[in-house]
Amino acid sequence: MSSGITTILYHVTDLAQAKALFSTFLGAEPSTDAPYYVGFELDGQQIGLVPDAHDRAFTGPVCFRDVPDITAAYQGLLAAGAESDEEPHDVGGGLKVASVKDADGNVIGLRQQP
């Protein structure tokens, strides 16, 4: 498991438009193409597009770090002063995600592989 940033998600309003733009930008077709998520794999880096920007209070990318225990990592960040954004939850196939906000409102993502 990598200790670096493994996933960067962009929350978008128009998934088809974002997919076309990112396909051009990255010079690759998506490795995952679903109505709820479009993902690109580049040298072990996951670049994802999620069509929920209209539901979120922020814009811009969210970086995710893989952790071995998402609950412990999430609780540790809360204890260090972060504010909950999304509690740990399964997004399918056993993949769990969570996020917190720092004091400036920046979102920090956590991801636990199945």
Side-chain angles (χ1 to χ4, degrees):
M1 179 180 306
S2 170
S3 63
I5 302 301
T6 56
T7 304
I8 301 171
L9 293 184
Y10 289 86
H11 296 272
V12 301
T13 54
D14 185 332
L15 189 59
Q17 181 183 28
K19 179 172 77 170
L21 179 92
F22 274 80
S23 292
T24 299
F25 171 61
L26 299 171
E29 290 300 312
S31 55
T32 304
D33 192 348
Y36 57 88
Y37 180 80
V38 171
F40 299 85
E41 284 280 342
L42 297 172
D43 299 325
Q45 180 77 53
Q46 179 74 219
I47 309 292
L49 308 174
V50 183
D52 67 352
H54 58 283
D55 296 333
R56 306 291 287 195
F58 60 88
T59 59
V62 177
C63 297
F64 285 77
R65 180 168 187 240
D66 280 358
V67 295
D69 182 341
I70 197 165
T71 301
Y74 176 78
Q75 292 298 326
L77 290 172
L78 294 179
E83 174 187 332
S84 178
D85 183 58
E86 268 188 304
E87 293 184 6
H89 63 284
D90 191 306
V91 294
L95 177 65
K96 295 180 182 177
V97 299
S99 58
V100 299
K101 291 182 181 178
D102 70 9
D104 296 306
N106 297 304
V107 178
I108 300 166
L110 300 170
R111 191 173 86 140
Q112 181 181 325
Q113 298 278 355

